[in-house]
Amino acid sequence: MALSVQTLIEKIEITNLTPDLDTSKTVIENGYVSDLLSDVMGSAQENQIWITIMRHLNTIAVASMTGIPVIIFAKDIIPEQSVINKAREEGIILLTSPLTVFELAGKIYSLLKV
Amino acid sequence: MAEYIKVNPMYQDRIEEVFQTNINPEIVLEFEIHENDFVNSGKGSAELKVTIKRLGVDPAIMRKVAVAAYEAEINITAHSRGGVMTSNIFPDYVHIVFQDRGPGIEDLSKAMTPGFSTATDLVREMGFGAGLGLPNIERNSDIMKLDSAKNESTKLDVIIFFH
Ligand SMILES: Nc1ncnc2c1ncn2[C@@H]1O[C@H](COP(=O)(O)OP(=O)(O)OP(=O)(O)O)[C@@H](O)[C@H]1O
Ligand SMILES: [Mg+2]
């Protein structure tokens, strides 16, 4: 099943860090979990949400190069403002949640796979 | 100098042509890459991505170029004393040359092995150091040529066709 980012925000404890980007048009069909950036570039796909705790500027570059439309940070992680600004510039939605990577992956998986 | 080369068999007959030095690209983009500068590293790849997007290159090909170029740029930032990235754009392919200032790679086949990494703690903190960058470059390029040796500079050629 495909899900809009907006639906995801409504169903899970999520704060949107880039509220000026349109979350209803961005649709995900799958997800990828990794904190190793080259692993993400080797394996993640365009239609996936990326779950990570890696908050550096490089994370945005990796999403941009790979075509990942949305990144969700676990454990309430919030990147620096400059990183958020870069994401907005690139049109990449940034979300954060108090849940752990495990819990987020489980919840998003069950929303997508039922 | 040792050499590692990989060629997509589909483009075997184009090798001589793409390594000729007397051909003129339509567009040349040059970027300086600095050691340990993870803030600016990637700008060359971003600019290249935008440029070929404007030329109407297929998004799937654009993604291959972006990933291969970014991995190579990060490698110069993470593992070398800095260098230069030159993107030569031709009508049906891009030839990117990454030339650094050493210290070189001692064992190319080891470096190409997934999981092999000599990344420092700083590089790992930045999220790199999985030992997957060179394998990613190989997978995303049609022709990849790596020339290096211990205490020498490293030169990487990445060629990706648009069709
Ligand atoms: N330009 C370079 N100069 C010197 N050594 C290099 C260079 N590029 C790669 N290497 C060596 O090859 C190894 C493997 O490179 P590769 O890109 O596959 O992995 P990595 O950079 O260590 O980690 P990752 O790319 O997954 O973040 C590096 O750890 C380093 O030892
Ligand atoms: Mg690398």
Side-chain angles (χ1 to χ4, degrees):
Chain A
M1 204 174 98
L3 216 61
S4 77
V5 174
Q6 186 53 39
T7 310
L8 210 63
I9 293 173
E10 285 158 14
K11 300 222 176 194
I12 306 176
E13 257 184 287
I14 286 174
T15 306
N16 187 354
L17 301 171
T18 50
D20 42 348
L21 297 180
D22 190 344
T23 50
S24 56
K25 280 204 200 90
T26 304
V27 169
I28 55 159
E29 287 166 26
N30 212 323
Y32 197 74
V33 179
S34 183
D35 299 322
L36 293 169
L37 301 184
S38 288
D39 175 46
V40 174
M41 281 192 277
S43 296
Q45 305 289 324
E46 275 114 329
N47 55 356
Q48 296 182 336
I49 183 167
W50 174 17
I51 309 171
T52 186
I53 56 166
M54 194 54 82
R55 72 178 94 193
H56 293 294
L57 188 64
N58 302 313
T59 306
I60 310 303
V62 166
S64 167
M65 299 303 169
T66 316
I68 293 169
V70 48
I71 304 170
I72 182 161
F73 299 104
K75 294 165 74 180
D76 273 334
I77 281 169
I78 298 179
E80 281 177 25
Q81 191 57 44
S82 59
V83 175
I84 298 175
N85 291 345
K86 182 72 186 161
R88 283 165 56 195
E89 229 173 80
E90 298 277 339
I92 295 163
I93 298 168
L94 295 189
L95 310 173
T96 189
S97 168
L99 302 178
T100 65
V101 166
F102 179 76
E103 290 163 335
L104 275 175
K107 290 204 173 183
I108 296 170
Y109 184 92
S110 57
L111 285 172
L112 285 170
K113 302 294 172 177
V114 289
Chain B
M1 288 286 262
E3 177 185 292
Y4 176 91
I5 183 157
K6 166 249 100 154
V7 181
N8 175 346
M10 249 175 87
Y11 300 105
Q12 187 72 46
D13 59 332
R14 302 283 305 269
I15 293 189
E16 263 180 50
E17 174 200 339
V18 299
F19 283 110
Q20 262 174 25
T21 48
N22 60 349
I23 41 171
N24 289 319
E26 309 231 303
I27 302 170
V28 180
L29 304 171
E30 207 173 86
F31 270 87
E32 190 67 37
I33 303 167
H34 302 283
E35 178 175 5
N36 287 336
D37 180 2
F38 288 93
V39 172
N40 289 302
S41 188
K43 290 202 169 149
S45 307
E47 175 83 19
L48 174 59
K49 187 182 156 200
V50 169
T51 306
I52 63 169
K53 185 177 185 179
R54 212 172 46 222
L55 295 174
V57 171
D58 177 72
I61 306 275
M62 198 181 75
R63 184 179 189 271
K64 284 168 60 170
V65 173
V67 168
Y70 187 54
E71 290 282 16
E73 231 184 309
I74 289 290
N75 274 356
I76 291 186
T77 306
H79 307 298
S80 87
R81 302 183 189 112
V84 178
M85 164 185 182
T86 311
S87 303
N88 302 289
I89 304 173
F90 294 90
D92 74 330
Y93 68 94
V94 58
H95 181 168
I96 323 164
V97 181
F98 298 89
Q99 175 70 64
D100 73 22
R101 292 185 277 274
I105 302 174
E106 192 170 355
D107 184 336
L108 291 186
S109 65
K110 240 191 201 168
M112 289 305 304
T113 307
F116 175 83
S117 177
T118 60
T120 59
D121 287 347
L122 168 79
V123 172
R124 287 175 201 274
E125 253 171 59
M126 291 293 147
F128 293 98
L132 294 173
L134 286 172
N136 276 349
I137 295 168
E138 172 165 11
R139 206 147 40 88
N140 284 295
S141 50
D142 291 312
I143 300 173
M144 167 188 180
K145 186 161 136 340
L146 185 58
D147 293 275
S148 191
K150 193 180 175 176
N151 299 324
E152 299 281 341
S153 61
T154 296
K155 181 171 178 247
L156 170 68
D157 290 89
V158 169
I159 292 145
I160 297 170
F161 290 90
F162 299 151
H163 306 289

